[in-house]
Amino acid sequence: MRYYSIQFLRLFFMAEVLYLHIQAYLSIYGLPGGTIFHTVPSAFMAAALPFFSISGFIMAFLIDIGYRNFLPRRLLRVYPTYFCGVAIAVAVNWFLWNKPPTTHLFAAASLLPLGPADLPLRVEWTLIYEIAYYVVIAPFALPRFRRYFVPFLFVWAAAIFFAYYVLDMQEAHIFTTWRTVLLSNFGLYFITGALVYHLQKRTPTWHWSLSVGLICLSAAICVATSWNRPPGLIKDMGEILLWSLCSAVSLYCVVKLEDKWRHPLLETISNFGDYAYAYYLIHATILSAFFSIAVYTFGWRLNNATALAGLGLVAVLGYFFGRLDMRLHGFFKKRLR
């Protein structure tokens, strides 16, 4: 079964991340406001964390259907395209800014939880959590352990709460370590996303208006509780628990809406969700290169036209990088099926 609604969500959240990062790069290169990319406040943007919920849902689905060679296939889904993105980033840094790769490149690009690192793509901190998640749940892909997956999720959640409230591990880290990676409260997004898969599978459909209402309520709660918070990394358990639950509720409702609002056009659009991973990896490299050349080489004025040109460049180049990603994915998928 292919959940086209999940692909649609991946596309939607990738659009939000891209919007936020264009806003950020405009500020970095001297334009802190005044464009359409400064119109929507950051409080309305979900950023990258809901991707963890989606990943939890998809991994629970794969375990439930008996996905063979789970860990090798997941690692080969992540690393080949990622290494291609790293190679592009290294080339861009070298030719544009005369910045050769450092001796720490291989450690930073390992996606292992080694603490502070100069990440070549600037966005792959989320993949460090993804890889750790794949490793820890891989045993449950085996038939004999599959029935223990849901109990394990509750045990894992209890361990996160214990670490936070009893062991005083109250930091959520971008540059996570072996000690913190599985006990970070970011893990609640993975856990609730996985539980949503099992919950929606076992519950009947309900009226579509209830799903729409709960999605709107979840969005309103997230906006209201983030409107006046200071900028910076989310660390507080109260915030992460609330927002991960809102993400889980929205995920549940979107999946429940799938059968009601299934339409060929929506399914066609959702297919572009397959490109979300490639866009996520490469967009920051493209944007930094584009704005640097635009400002320092051509002396262009930053405005809506420049910002939209950057968006268009990401759309075009990201598409071709996505095609490469799909070819790599298909190549390894056939050999490990």
Side-chain angles (χ1 to χ4, degrees), residues 194-215:
L195 291 174
V196 162
Y197 167 78
H198 290 281
L199 182 62
Q200 62 83 28
K201 182 182 175 183
R202 291 164 172 78
T203 53
T205 56
W206 55 22
H207 196 270
W208 64 268
S209 60
L210 183 56
S211 290
V212 173
L214 287 174
I215 291 171

Side-chain angles (χ1 to χ4, degrees), residues 151-271:
F152 164 76
L153 293 174
F154 285 103
V155 171
W156 185 15
I160 291 173
F161 283 108
F162 183 83
Y164 187 89
Y165 289 109
V166 179
L167 302 181
D168 202 33
M169 294 175 61
Q170 299 186 355
E171 292 287 325
H173 300 271
I174 286 183
F175 298 114
T176 188
T177 66
W178 295 104
R179 176 175 172 267
T180 59
V181 64
L182 291 178
L183 295 175
S184 166
N185 40 21
F186 288 160
L188 295 177
Y189 277 89
F190 287 116
I191 293 167
T192 53
L195 291 174
V196 162
Y197 167 78
H198 290 281
L199 182 62
Q200 62 83 28
K201 182 182 175 183
R202 291 164 172 78
T203 53
T205 56
W206 55 22
H207 196 270
W208 64 268
S209 60
L210 183 56
S211 290
V212 173
L214 287 174
I215 291 171
C216 292
L217 177 61
S218 297
I221 290 173
C222 290
V223 169
T225 53
S226 62
W227 188 265
N228 291 318
R229 75 178 303 276
L233 183 65
I234 306 167
K235 301 178 180 179
D236 182 74
M237 174 66 83
E239 290 180 327
I240 289 179
L241 178 60
L242 176 63
W243 295 341
S244 65
L245 290 175
C246 287
S247 180
V249 169
S250 300
L251 187 59
Y252 177 89
C253 293
V254 168
V255 172
K256 285 298 183 184
L257 285 172
E258 181 169 314
D259 291 333
K260 177 67 178 178
W261 287 351
R262 184 177 291 274
H263 188 277
L265 178 60
L266 291 176
E267 294 189 38
T268 300
I269 294 174
S270 73
N271 287 334

Side-chain angles (χ1 to χ4, degrees), residues 20-204:
L20 281 175
H21 284 176
I22 291 177
Q23 181 185 108
Y25 276 105
L26 285 170
S27 298
I28 289 171
Y29 286 96
L31 188 65
T35 73
I36 58 174
F37 292 95
H38 298 92
T39 303
V40 181
S42 297
F44 284 91
M45 298 286 105
L49 290 178
F51 281 120
F52 290 161
S53 295
I54 294 173
S55 178
F57 184 99
I58 295 173
M59 295 310 108
F61 166 66
L62 295 179
I63 286 175
D64 190 47
I65 65 173
Y67 195 68
R68 298 178 60 190
N69 299 314
F70 177 86
L71 187 57
R73 290 172 72 173
R74 295 318 303 166
L75 296 181
L76 287 171
R77 180 68 187 96
V78 171
Y79 277 106
T81 304
Y82 172 65
F83 287 147
C84 289
V86 170
I88 292 171
V90 168
V92 168
N93 288 335
W94 206 336
F95 287 113
L96 285 186
W97 301 298
N98 197 27
K99 182 180 178 183
T102 67
T103 57
H104 302 292
L105 175 65
F106 293 106
S110 69
L111 301 181
L112 297 177
L114 303 176
D118 185 15
L119 299 176
L121 301 185
R122 310 301 182 199
V123 297
E124 63 265 44
W125 68 270
T126 59
L127 298 182
I128 297 173
Y129 284 94
E130 288 277 350
I131 296 299
Y133 179 51
Y134 298 159
V135 171
V136 77
I137 69 171
F140 300 101
L142 301 173
R144 69 178 67 179
F145 298 125
R146 192 171 301 147
R147 66 180 182 274
Y148 301 115
F149 180 56
V150 171
F152 164 76
L153 293 174
F154 285 103
V155 171
W156 185 15
I160 291 173
F161 283 108
F162 183 83
Y164 187 89
Y165 289 109
V166 179
L167 302 181
D168 202 33
M169 294 175 61
Q170 299 186 355
E171 292 287 325
H173 300 271
I174 286 183
F175 298 114
T176 188
T177 66
W178 295 104
R179 176 175 172 267
T180 59
V181 64
L182 291 178
L183 295 175
S184 166
N185 40 21
F186 288 160
L188 295 177
Y189 277 89
F190 287 116
I191 293 167
T192 53
L195 291 174
V196 162
Y197 167 78
H198 290 281
L199 182 62
Q200 62 83 28
K201 182 182 175 183
R202 291 164 172 78
T203 53

